[in-house]
Amino acid sequence: MNSKKIITFAFVSAIVVLIVGFIGCERVQQIVQPTVPQMEAVDGEILVGAVYPMTGPSSLASSPLEYGIELAVSEINNSQHSHVKIKLITEDGQSTVEGAVEAFNQLIHEDKVSVILGPGSSSQAQEAFPIAHQNQVVAISPSSAASGLSAISDFVFRTNLTTGVLIPNGVRVTQEKLGYQKVATLFDEVDLFSRTSDAELREALTDNGVEILTAESFQTDETDLSTQFTRIKALNPDAIFISATVGDISDILIRGRALGVPSDIPFIVNLTLSRDLVAAAGDAAEGAITFTSWDSTADTPGNQTFVQNYSMKYGIEPNIWAAQFYAAVHILAKGIADAESTDPKAIAAALAEIRDFETILGPFSFNEVGDAVYDPIVLIVKDGEFEIFE
């Protein structure tokens, strides 16, 4: 894993003095920092791009993302306590890697943004993050979760918890309470998040003494899973772990139950099960468990106010993706305010220093590689609603 760098900036008589700072012991290389433009030089306004799927299979999640961003930007721009003002420019990631790359290039080279929120998926982030690095533009992905991606560059960060945090915690919690001894896994072999999640799941399950009867795979948007579920059902596992994209997950739950997987065998889903997907899956989602990073009922700072304001403004309750993009905008605003600059290098350095910042996700920090640090959550679906798994 590559090291990440950090610079602490001091402004003395309009001369920038570089001081090399360290976050942990791994950030040891300097980033050469030019004279930093102050917020007042552009009336406090900073161009921020947002890349999320407005078309394609993952577009069903686009409205919550858009609403979460919109609500946060409105709060920041109207705040009496901050000089940060955000001008948002959105681009369609098209639910594809190619679409995300195209959107990043458009925002960087045509729109001249300083920061990009996105992209959404891990597969997209793997290809788009190097573009941000090459052009020294900050990229913050609020929803990608595959391990290792933030280490691509000092300019990239993620506010969602990674699978390296979610999976070991989720396996420990569920195995302790359910006592499963033999399980099956089902994963999308094309999607990076799903593929790496399954590998991490199998490692965590093995470490907890659980036998993996089979690891079945499929391809994104594959609808006929009869072969996979027939094999799984014949092995009679205690639980079935699913790693899949947002666009596939509700269909997988429906298909599994329709193909005869008994309701006493729980589906356990890593991260991608959200409130709207539970509604779409109906009875097939009952009893499903998910390893996740946000809960609408949590008493984290500002969370209940966020849920109330979002519900009142948009007429629906927020899901995890709305919450993640909302939180990411506020974390970005914290970085801009701390940097006292619209320069991407200064913002990246300030973001890297964030520790225990109060957010709806809980006290939030970035670790030494730019990944999020806060408490993971395990939820279960009961009567069509999420509850804390306990």
Side-chain angles (χ1 to χ4, degrees):
M1 184 175 290
N2 294 329
S3 297
K4 299 199 73 175
K5 292 81 67 177
I6 179 171
I7 294 176
T8 303
F9 298 90
F11 300 88
V12 180
S13 302
I15 297 176
V16 180
V17 179
L18 286 176
I19 303 175
V20 179
F22 296 86
I23 297 300
C25 58
E26 295 189 17
R27 299 189 176 195
V28 296
Q29 298 182 15
Q30 286 187 208
I31 301 173
V32 177
Q33 172 63 39
T35 301
V36 180
Q38 298 301 301
M39 298 297 294
E40 292 78 14
V42 287
D43 297 322
E45 186 174 76
I46 181 171
L47 287 178
V48 174
V51 176
Y52 54 89
M54 303 175 196
T55 57
S58 298
S59 62
L60 61 92
S62 64
S63 291
L65 307 187
E66 180 182 358
Y67 296 158
I69 295 170
E70 179 183 79
L71 182 60
V73 169
S74 175
E75 290 174 355
I76 291 161
N77 287 350
N78 292 307
S79 173
Q80 301 299 312
H81 307 290
S82 173
H83 295 298
V84 175
K85 304 295 179 187
I86 293 173
K87 181 177 180 180
L88 192 68
I89 302 174
T90 61
E91 287 290 338
D92 183 9
Q94 302 173 49
S95 301
T96 66
V97 170
E98 295 79 10
V101 168
E102 180 182 339
F104 262 59
N105 281 319
Q106 169 68 31
L107 289 167
I108 292 170
H109 299 297
E110 300 298 328
D111 299 312
K112 308 298 183 183
V113 302
S114 298
V115 181
I116 298 175
L117 287 170
S121 77
S122 297
S123 296
Q124 292 172 337
Q126 186 179 46
E127 299 301 321
F129 275 177
I131 298 171
H133 172 74
Q134 291 160 12
N135 292 277
Q136 298 191 348
V137 167
V138 174
I140 304 177
S141 176
S143 51
S144 66
S147 296
L149 296 178
S150 296
I152 287 173
S153 171
D154 299 316
F155 288 90
V156 303
F157 299 85
R158 285 173 315 153
T159 56
N160 198 6
L161 291 174
T162 67
T163 53
V165 174
L166 290 168
I167 288 174
N169 175 77
V171 168
R172 177 184 56 79
V173 169
T174 54
Q175 207 276 332
E176 284 178 358
K177 291 180 170 61
L178 296 178
Y180 50 74
Q181 295 299 317
K182 52 180 184 172
V183 303
T185 72
L186 178 67
F187 68 99
D188 181 345
E189 64 182 355
V190 176
D191 177 64
L192 176 66
F193 162 77
S194 305
R195 190 170 64 249
T196 58
S197 290
D198 186 74
E200 291 183 271
L201 270 169
R202 283 184 272 166
E203 181 178 355
L205 289 164
T206 300
D207 288 345
N208 282 267
V210 178
E211 180 185 1
I212 301 164
L213 301 174
T214 184
E216 298 290 332
S217 65
F218 64 95
Q219 296 196 351
T220 308
D221 299 330
E222 184 176 338
T223 56
D224 183 7
L225 299 175
S226 57
T227 299
Q228 294 92 327
F229 274 119
T230 297
R231 282 197 290 257
I232 289 172
K233 200 170 66 164
L235 294 169
N236 192 32
D238 298 327
I240 301 171
F241 286 81
I242 301 172
S243 299
T245 65
V246 171
D248 283 334
I249 194 64
S250 57
D251 290 338
I252 292 171
L253 299 182
I254 293 169
R255 190 70 176 155
R257 296 304 185 205
L259 288 168
V261 175
S263 59
D264 61 348
I265 298 179
F267 289 130
I268 303 179
V269 182
N270 182 34
L271 186 64
T272 53
L273 187 62
S274 60
R275 180 183 297 274
D276 44 342
L277 295 178
V278 167
D283 291 342
E286 191 65 21
I289 297 167
T290 186
F291 309 157
T292 189
S293 55
W294 176 78
D295 173 29
S296 64
T297 66
D299 60 357
T300 47
N303 191 44
Q304 291 310 303
T305 299
F306 160 67
V307 172
Q308 292 167 9
N309 290 345
Y310 184 102
S311 302
M312 184 178 301
K313 184 169 184 176
Y314 302 112
I316 56 173
E317 289 192 20
N319 64 14
I320 182 176
W321 309 120
Q324 280 290 355
F325 274 76
Y326 173 90
V329 175
H330 278 282
I331 292 164
L332 168 61
K334 162 73 170 170
I336 297 169
D338 288 352
E340 298 183 334
S341 171
T342 58
D343 181 80
K345 291 181 181 179
I347 295 169
L351 286 169
E353 292 182 338
I354 289 178
R355 295 291 180 274
D356 296 323
F357 176 51
E358 300 283 353
T359 75
I360 64 170
L361 305 172
F364 182 96
S365 303
F366 282 117
N367 68 10
E368 68 276 3
V369 295
D371 281 332
V373 178
Y374 52 96
D375 291 336
I377 300 169
V378 180
L379 300 175
I380 185 170
V381 179
K382 289 187 177 180
D383 298 323
E385 297 292 337
F386 280 125
E387 294 182 7
I388 294 291
F389 179 73
E390 55 188 8

